[in-house]
Amino acid sequence: MTISHPDLARDVASALLSIKAVSLSPDQPFTWASGLHSPIYCDNRITLSDPRTRGLIAEGLATLVTENFTHVDVVAGTATAGIAHAALAADRLGTSMAYVRSAPKDHGKGNQIEGRIELGSSVVMVEDLISTGGSVIEAAKAVERAGSTVVGVLAIFSYELERGHQAFVQTGWPLFTLSNYPTLIEVAAANQAITPDQLAALKTWSADPQAWSDAH
């Protein structure tokens, strides 16, 4: 998982914390849908409500495209969280945009891909958050089954979990993120939003989320 611009990564992390799109609570962990206890909860949909953060993310995603890919025909978002960010980035790039459902519709034309991705197109996928990577990887596979080439994946934020890293290694698709968990907790510590002891606990979680969850 690659951070191209450390300064931008810190700016995005600071913005996510400021608007409470990301919350840190090592002392009173959150419970994820999987049942895992976690000291972090991320809801990047909130970024759409803040014009400054929304613009920072859109410009950042567009920059990742121009700096890392020689040619992109389509920016494709994952449904639903990646759709708006893909649209904003595509608008800045002047490219086509589409989005990919988690499964084909059970009515109408049964589309899984909405919008138009011409056969043979070069496609960049956009996701809001990477944990295990499963959702965006499955969406990208649907794009390739339809006859186009996924050249890479972009995301606003990554938890930097080893399971997610290995998933992308297996696909061969490069992943670029605007910010990530290590950057975010360091920014939180620098802003005195967490104590040194809480920072240590947060670092422990990222090394082994399951063991951390079992202990909490």
Side-chain angles (χ1 to χ4, degrees):
M1 301 181 189
T2 303
I3 293 289
S4 300
H5 298 280
D7 289 342
L8 176 60
R10 287 188 287 270
D11 288 345
V12 170
S14 181
L16 294 177
L17 288 164
S18 176
I19 66 172
K20 295 182 171 54
V22 173
S23 299
L24 297 172
S25 182
D27 303 321
Q28 294 182 307
F30 304 98
T31 301
W32 287 359
S34 64
L36 193 75
H37 296 150
S38 168
I40 181 171
Y41 184 78
C42 184
D43 182 2
N44 284 329
R45 290 172 178 83
I46 292 173
T47 64
L48 297 172
S49 299
D50 185 77
R52 179 188 172 276
T53 304
R54 186 177 67 223
L56 179 67
I57 290 169
E59 291 292 341
L61 292 173
T63 298
L64 290 180
V65 171
T66 57
E67 291 187 353
N68 293 289
F69 305 102
T70 55
H71 178 74
V72 170
D73 298 303
V74 182
V75 178
T78 56
T80 60
I83 295 174
H85 299 293
L88 291 165
D91 185 63
R92 283 159 171 77
L93 292 163
T95 65
S96 181
M97 179 267 171
Y99 72 89
V100 186
R101 298 175 180 273
S102 58
K105 289 194 296 186
D106 61 2
H107 59 281
K109 293 184 177 180
N111 292 340
Q112 183 169 8
I113 297 170
E114 300 289 3
R116 182 169 293 140
I117 301 180
E118 302 289 352
L119 287 175
S121 294
S122 295
V123 181
V124 164
M125 304 296 301
V126 172
E127 178 67 286
D128 74 322
L129 172 67
I130 300 294
S131 53
T132 64
S135 296
V136 71
I137 288 172
E138 288 306 309
K141 288 178 178 178
V143 169
E144 294 217 323
R145 285 196 299 271
S148 292
T149 300
V150 172
V151 295
V153 176
L154 311 180
I156 299 170
F157 185 79
S158 169
Y159 288 130
E160 294 287 283
L161 302 181
E162 181 61 22
R163 183 177 171 186
H165 172 71
Q166 291 301 324
F168 280 95
V169 168
Q170 291 175 14
T171 66
W173 293 318
L175 169 64
F176 300 91
T177 69
L178 294 180
S179 195
N180 60 18
Y181 182 79
T183 301
L184 183 125
I185 61 175
E186 293 295 344
V187 167
N191 293 344
Q192 298 184 325
I194 54 174
T195 67
D197 286 346
Q198 288 174 324
L199 176 62
L202 289 163
K203 288 181 176 179
T204 301
W205 174 79
S206 63
D208 192 340
Q210 187 61 61
W212 196 98
S213 177
D214 293 342
H216 292 76

